[in-house]
Amino acid sequence: MGEMSDTGRLVLLGAPLGNSADASARFREVLATADVVAAEDTRRLTRLARDLDVTVPGRIISYFEGNEERRTPELVDVLAAGYLVALVTDGGMPSVSDPGYRLVRAALDAGVPVTAAPGPSAVTTALALSGLPSDRFCFEGFLPRTPAARRSRLRALAAEARTLVLFEAPHRIGAALADLAAAFGPDRPAALCRELTKTYEEVVRRPLGELARWAAEEEPRGEITLVVGGAPEVAAERPDDDTLRAAVAAREAAGLTRRDAITEVAAEFGLRRREVYTVVHA
């Protein structure tokens, strides 16, 4: 390893999703200067460095789901000793549905500076290519693997108004899309993005019902990111005056002051407090 500094530093490297040309200049610089490179797949990192014509002088160690609990304290010791550690996963930003969160948390708890050389992200790339609203979105990562747990999660998400971004494994995508269509309705717009930035990149934009049928026939392979439109917002009807008075009276009977009862009822029905006050005192 290189010469120690007073304080070590952890750098999270945003790795290319597939096209090595997407690696940033900082990505190359950190690879070429880090004392230790913790990689999700050391062979994949070695191939990427070769494609980038970058020599990695530091020690390369594996850091993946199966060993991150054991490796994290070892890497924190290296950081505490003053060395530069780079963390890289197979694609995208570490800790986003990839190894890394545990190490980031441990480094911060040890008082070690953490920074990033940001790069490609399957989440935002798929969102931008989907053609669906991107001003507000929610990332759900991988859905539960078992059908019952997956359907339960989707029922909870059915009313989410923000665009959803999901990861899914190829062998589960057909079942996941069928469950999505059942939970969200077959007409909900969606986009299946596969092999982003790679030679066979494909974005299929169809309603969930059609997309589920397409996936059953085509059996898509490769890295898949799914983008699903949010639930349409339904304007609630304003309750009539008698309903508002009854709601306030029920809360008063339960022990609330009239002021607090009016405040609660206004919040429940999305009304201004003054409007409920006027109705109650009419």
Side-chain angles (χ1 to χ4, degrees):
M1 292 192 288
E3 185 177 336
M4 292 187 296
S5 62
D6 291 337
T7 306
R9 188 161 52 105
L10 174 63
V11 184
L12 311 178
L13 299 182
L17 302 176
N19 191 327
S20 59
D22 292 333
S24 70
R26 282 191 64 209
F27 181 95
R28 298 163 186 258
E29 177 187 347
V30 174
L31 274 188
T33 56
D35 297 300
V36 175
V37 178
E40 184 176 11
D41 185 329
T42 57
R43 290 173 298 180
R44 186 164 179 164
L45 173 64
T46 301
R47 287 195 301 269
L48 177 60
R50 185 172 60 245
D51 291 343
L52 298 176
D53 195 24
V54 172
T55 299
V56 182
R59 183 162 61 98
I60 299 175
I61 66 170
S62 66
Y63 187 82
F64 62 99
E65 185 179 358
N67 72 0
E68 63 176 322
E69 185 173 359
R70 171 172 55 85
R71 275 278 157 84
T72 294
E74 298 174 8
L75 287 170
V76 170
D77 288 344
V78 172
L79 289 163
Y83 293 105
L84 173 63
V85 174
L87 177 62
V88 59
T89 60
D90 292 346
M93 286 299 297
S95 84
V96 180
S97 284
D98 271 337
Y101 171 77
R102 191 190 301 267
L103 180 57
V104 170
R105 188 65 263 164
L108 293 174
D109 289 344
V112 174
V114 179
T115 187
S121 165
V123 176
T124 52
T125 301
L127 181 68
L129 292 177
S130 70
L132 295 170
S134 57
D135 54 332
R136 298 173 66 231
F137 71 95
C138 177
F139 175 57
E140 279 291 316
F142 283 95
L143 290 171
R145 296 183 180 186
T146 63
R150 180 172 63 237
R151 290 165 189 159
S152 177
R153 173 76 60 81
L154 292 177
R155 284 195 296 270
L157 291 170
E160 172 58 62
R162 294 171 293 180
T163 298
L164 291 170
V165 183
L166 308 162
F167 290 160
E168 192 52 276
H171 63 281
R172 290 195 299 267
I173 189 62
L177 282 167
D179 287 345
L180 275 159
F184 292 9
D187 297 328
R188 185 80 70 90
L192 184 150
C193 308
R194 57 178 294 272
E195 296 294 88
L196 290 171
T197 77
K198 300 178 184 178
T199 303
Y200 297 105
E201 175 180 285
E202 182 178 28
V203 180
V204 183
R205 304 173 184 86
R206 299 184 186 180
L208 280 173
E210 293 182 25
L211 199 56
R213 288 190 292 273
W214 173 86
E217 295 171 0
E218 298 295 328
E219 298 182 348
R221 299 294 180 218
E223 300 283 342
I224 294 174
T225 305
L226 192 62
V227 186
V228 183
E233 295 187 9
V234 179
E237 291 187 8
R238 180 193 181 282
D240 59 35
D241 290 356
D242 288 341
T243 299
L244 291 176
R245 292 191 191 100
V248 171
R251 284 167 171 76
E252 286 186 276
L256 288 184
T257 65
R258 175 163 292 187
R259 176 186 179 86
D260 289 343
I262 289 173
T263 299
E264 277 198 8
V265 170
E268 177 182 352
F269 293 107
L271 302 173
R272 289 177 302 162
R273 186 180 180 283
R274 169 59 61 180
E275 185 175 356
V276 178
Y277 178 90
T278 300
V279 168
V280 170
H281 291 87

